[in-house]
Amino acid sequence: MSEYAFLLPISLFLLLGVMSPGPSFILVVQTAMAKSRSAALAVALGLGVGATCFALLASAGLFSLLAAVPTVYLALKVAGGLYLCFLAVQIWRSASAPVALDDSHVQRPGGLANMFLLGLVTQLSNPKTAIVFGSAFAAFLPAQLPDNALVVISGTTFVIDAAWYVAVALLLSTQRPQRFYRRFKHYICKGASTLMGGMGLKLIMDP
């Protein structure tokens, strides 16, 4: 198992990264408190799959393309920033909507699939994450990878990312956080919208 020792620093790096508040965290919190546990869990799994996609891209060295071709990176960055701004507008508009904490919306055809896709697209909306993954892998991956390393790396990435957001979803979809949400919904939505929009604008304007 010593041949997989490189997973320890990579796992620690990924865990610290996923625990840092960002658009994905805001989305899970908002979904868990505003919708339902099943919706938040679907979003969490989508985020995990999105992180796994970045791990695969970084392992394949495709992150170098984003670093080497500025126009491709710029286009993806602007598109991702605009998507986050779109989510911010949606959250802001929901501030005055009545609260319906149930699973009726996810029990409709495609309901959970839509929440999964929301998480996946939100995770993939930030191409900077690909650079971060690529930097971590460049720093910690050995020159000669053991057999099945790509599968192990991808699985580890999914478990770390999805497990964190599943834990957040389970914690914040309980009755106490949801009662708090119902009481302060207007302010929570506008605060989450402001943070999400700020992150989207920062993604667009940052060099």
Side-chain angles (χ1 to χ4, degrees):
M1 293 299 293
S2 60
E3 58 185 351
Y4 288 100
F6 64 87
L7 286 176
L8 182 59
I10 287 179
S11 297
L12 180 60
F13 181 91
L14 295 180
L15 180 61
L16 293 175
V18 74
M19 292 176 68
S20 302
S24 300
F25 181 80
I26 294 172
L27 180 62
V28 173
V29 170
Q30 180 73 13
T31 304
M33 294 195 298
K35 297 185 182 297
S36 67
R37 175 171 294 180
S38 56
L41 290 176
V43 169
L45 292 178
L47 293 169
V49 171
T52 304
C53 291
F54 277 131
L56 290 170
L57 289 173
S59 299
L62 295 183
F63 76 94
S64 301
L65 173 65
L66 298 180
V69 185
T71 53
V72 173
Y73 178 67
L74 178 61
L76 292 175
K77 196 161 68 76
V78 171
L82 290 175
Y83 175 74
L84 294 181
C85 290
F86 169 76
L87 286 183
V89 172
Q90 297 297 103
I91 295 173
W92 185 279
R93 288 178 174 175
S94 71
S96 301
V99 179
L101 297 177
D102 57 59
D103 274 353
S104 59
H105 59 289
V106 297
Q107 290 171 355
R108 301 167 190 162
L112 283 176
N114 289 337
M115 300 309 298
F116 173 86
L117 287 174
L118 177 62
L120 175 63
V121 174
T122 300
Q123 184 75 288
L124 296 177
S125 67
N126 188 355
K128 282 190 172 182
T129 307
I131 303 297
V132 172
F133 269 76
S135 300
F137 288 0
F140 298 119
L141 286 182
Q144 294 295 326
L145 290 176
D147 294 338
N148 302 317
L150 190 58
V151 174
V152 175
I153 291 170
S154 301
T156 300
T157 301
F158 176 79
V159 169
I160 291 173
D161 206 272
W164 167 251
Y165 289 121
V166 163
V168 172
L170 292 175
L171 177 63
L172 295 181
S173 60
T174 55
Q175 290 185 357
R176 181 174 294 181
Q178 289 186 341
R179 283 198 299 268
F180 177 84
Y181 179 82
R182 284 195 295 267
R183 184 176 180 182
F184 298 102
K185 177 179 184 294
H186 183 78
Y187 303 102
I188 292 173
C189 284
K190 293 199 170 181
S193 173
T194 301
L195 287 173
M196 186 78 82
M199 291 174 184
L201 292 175
K202 186 175 186 297
L203 185 59
I204 294 171
M205 294 186 297
D206 274 359

